[in-house]
Amino acid sequence: MDTIRIGMLGCGTVGSGVVTILARSGDDIAARAGVRLEIVRVAVRDLARDRGLPLSADVFTDRPEDVVAADDVDLVIEVMGGRGRAGDLVRSALANRKPVVTANKQLIAHEGPELRALAAEAGVDLMYEAAVAGAIPIIRPLKESLAGDRIRRVIGILNGTTNYILTRMTEEGASYDDVLAEAQELGYAEKPDPSADTGGHDAAAKTAILASLAFDSAVTDPDVFREGIERVTATDIAVARRLGYVVKLVGIASEVDGAVAVRVHPTFLPETHPLASVRLAFNAVYVEADGAGELMFYGPGAGSEPTGSAVLGDVVDVVRNLLQTVRGPLESTHRAATVRPMEDLTTQYYVLLDVEDRSGVLAAVAATFGQHDVSIAQVWQEGVGDHAQLVLITHRARESNLRSTVEALAATGGVRSVANVLRVESEGRS
Ligand code: NAP
Ligand code: HSE
């Protein structure tokens, strides 16, 4: 074998990054892989578009099913996105005994266990480093470098769009709507519907993948508790800052009494935490392990060449394995941990209430918290008269108790509305 022939499904943001890096660094990549890599087929939707890439026109096709079936394709890169069509194509490629490298977090988060089983059955590799946090190596560290350790918790800033919005809100005191509109103009957030990012769906898929690897279990996207950043206001961020916190959208996968807890939500994070300094569209993953201690992986979580770099790293790995007729290390699911329902988790909370500014209201609010076994750590009033608000920070409490408190607060005399509730990461792990 003197050349490995690559079939690529998709040639958009990530695909063009792959092509560009391979054209620029092909000699080095060939020397590392042990053989030259050549992109021989590329499936796209629009055959008429000039992509300005160093590829001859005859490699392009609008029939992706031909790419995964072709005898002259040794390895498939899937950078098309979505689940249905992409999933069928990846299944076909694996059935045709072609190794697959994908950047598709949605697909791996939903169908990872099934696809990994198909790859094992076919005796070929399925790799997906680019699916989580773009350029940042995190899949291989969890699967291989930390295989001799026990991971207790993984916390990630896994979505650049939401981190960009929250950073701008924090640094400029700007409102969510204003920064979102600007992020959409700059191309960070999707138009017209930004909810894949702002609703936490993208981060949830990545968190499911990280949880599976960290805890040797088949965790999928529906297992992840998810809340987005849409309700975070400038007031929440100002309160957080005053208390020594920043507000970040985090994905957290942790071990709790032998089960796995997996969640994505905005949280108050102490400003001294290494993740608090991750600004704008950058991503980072913070891993806590028994032996290694605390590790942080940081870098660009998206973009054409950053993500293309992660794809090509996997390609080199797959090619080295192909040349030795072996497969790379498999993911282990030996612990098969159950997923702990969010209601059973404990954490601290920040609760913001719009209230009537009169005597007895604070007493009634405190009584409601007490009746539901939620202990208050701090409370104070912001504003006066029609603008009066109560800010409460709780001690650690069960999520189910906090939810019943919030329900009861809505019916507590003097409370106009529950303006917001956010979780606070500070006292130990959950
Ligand atoms: P993209 O820019 O929209 O590119 C998608 C490509 O797939 C396009 O070339 C498109 O063809 C082609 N395509 C879509 N449907 C097709 C079909 N039915 N038949 C043939 N070709 C089809 O997407 P992307 O941003 O590169 O993302 C690709 C994957 O990487 C996704 O799974 C995404 O989640 C993941 N990812 C992206 C990033 C990032 O920074 N963008 C980072 C990490 C992971 P046309 O060009 O003709 O439209
Ligand atoms: N939309 C993602 C983000 C990039 O904002 O980080 C692709 O995963």
Side-chain angles (χ1 to χ4, degrees):
M1 223 185 249
D2 54 8
T3 303
I4 289 288
R5 299 159 300 178
I6 295 172
M8 204 159 77
L9 306 173
C11 193
T13 304
V14 180
S16 58
V18 169
V19 174
T20 304
I21 298 174
L22 192 56
R24 191 172 62 221
S25 305
D27 291 345
D28 282 334
I29 292 172
R32 292 184 197 121
V35 67
R36 285 209 75 76
L37 309 182
E38 189 184 347
I39 296 174
V40 295
R41 291 178 187 248
V42 179
V44 292
R45 261 180 313 219
D46 179 2
L47 284 176
R49 190 178 339 146
D50 176 7
R51 292 163 198 272
L53 293 171
L55 287 174
S56 69
D58 62 355
V59 303
F60 288 99
T61 169
D62 57 3
R63 294 178 52 82
E65 54 282 5
D66 291 352
V67 175
V68 296
D71 288 338
D72 63 0
V73 166
D74 304 308
L75 182 159
V76 171
I77 295 177
E78 187 276 303
V79 281
M80 209 170 107
R83 278 178 58 205
R85 190 87 191 273
D88 290 343
L89 291 163
V90 168
R91 273 184 282 275
S92 296
L94 296 172
N96 291 327
R97 307 178 87 82
K98 297 185 197 302
V100 174
V101 172
T102 179
N104 193 330
K105 75 219 69 151
Q106 268 187 302
L107 186 61
I108 296 296
H110 277 88
E111 295 162 51
E114 181 211 334
L115 296 175
R116 286 194 282 269
L118 287 176
E121 208 175 292
V124 295
D125 283 323
L126 168 66
M127 295 203 184
Y128 48 89
E129 181 65 71
V132 180
I136 303 173
I138 186 61
I139 302 299
R140 202 166 279 105
L142 290 179
K143 195 164 91 171
E144 299 180 34
S145 320
L146 290 165
D149 210 327
R150 178 149 187 159
I151 294 169
R152 298 293 178 177
R153 184 163 78 154
V154 179
I155 313 184
I157 293 178
L158 299 167
N159 183 266
T161 305
T162 45
N163 202 53
Y164 174 87
I165 294 171
L166 291 173
T167 305
R168 295 281 314 277
M169 288 174 72
T170 303
E171 295 180 359
E172 291 158 35
S175 75
Y176 173 76
D177 290 335
D178 287 349
V179 181
L180 172 63
E182 208 182 308
Q184 286 180 309
E185 285 317 309
L186 290 170
Y188 283 118
E190 296 283 331
K191 268 206 278 192
D193 177 10
S195 62
D197 293 313
T198 55
H201 299 275
D202 174 79
K206 295 166 181 170
T207 307
I209 297 171
L210 295 181
S212 301
L213 293 166
F215 301 110
D216 306 292
S217 301
V219 179
T220 59
D221 197 334
D223 294 325
V224 183
F225 171 83
R226 180 188 52 75
E227 268 174 20
I229 65 162
E230 300 95 335
R231 286 169 51 91
V232 176
T233 65
T235 305
D236 302 329
I237 289 177
V239 170
R241 288 190 89 173
R242 217 178 310 152
L243 293 173
Y245 294 93
V246 291
V247 178
K248 293 285 186 192
L249 182 78
V250 289
I252 306 178
S254 55
E255 188 189 280
V256 183
D257 304 331
V260 178
V262 213
R263 52 201 169 104
V264 166
H265 52 70
T267 196
F268 278 27
L269 200 64
E271 63 191 10
T272 49
H273 193 286
L275 287 174
S277 61
V278 176
R279 296 177 62 245
L280 301 170
F282 282 92
N283 282 196
V285 185
Y286 192 77
V287 179
E288 298 166 3
D290 283 353
E294 300 181 5
L295 309 170
M296 187 152 102
F297 302 80
Y298 168 86
S304 181
E305 290 197 28
T307 313
S309 159
V311 168
L312 280 166
D314 276 352
V315 168
V316 169
D317 220 8
V318 170
V319 170
R320 287 171 174 159
N321 292 339
L322 274 177
L323 295 182
Q324 296 180 62
T325 59
V326 294
R327 293 189 70 214
L330 295 176
E331 292 81 356
S332 172
T333 51
H334 71 275
R335 278 161 73 186
T338 53
V339 174
R340 194 157 170 133
M342 189 65 193
E343 293 75 10
D344 292 352
L345 295 194
T346 64
T347 184
Q348 287 184 266
Y349 297 88
Y350 147 85
V351 180
L352 182 67
L353 303 174
D354 292 325
V355 292
E356 291 168 21
D357 195 3
R358 60 172 170 79
S359 60
V361 173
L362 176 56
V365 165
T368 302
F369 275 80
Q371 281 151 16
H372 295 87
D373 204 18
V374 176
S375 167
I376 297 167
Q378 292 182 62
V379 57
W380 71 95
Q381 178 171 334
E382 295 274 329
V384 290
D386 288 348
H387 303 289
Q389 292 186 305
L390 284 179
V391 183
L392 300 104
I393 306 290
T394 74
H395 287 295
R396 289 180 79 86
R398 254 175 99 92
E399 174 88 11
S400 54
N401 290 355
L402 195 279
R403 287 185 193 176
S404 30
T405 306
V406 168
E407 235 169 74
L409 282 169
T412 297
V415 175
R416 290 198 179 103
S417 69
V418 179
N420 210 355
V421 177
L422 294 172
R423 294 168 190 81
V424 179
E425 281 301 311
S426 60
E427 293 173 3
R429 296 170 177 169
S430 58

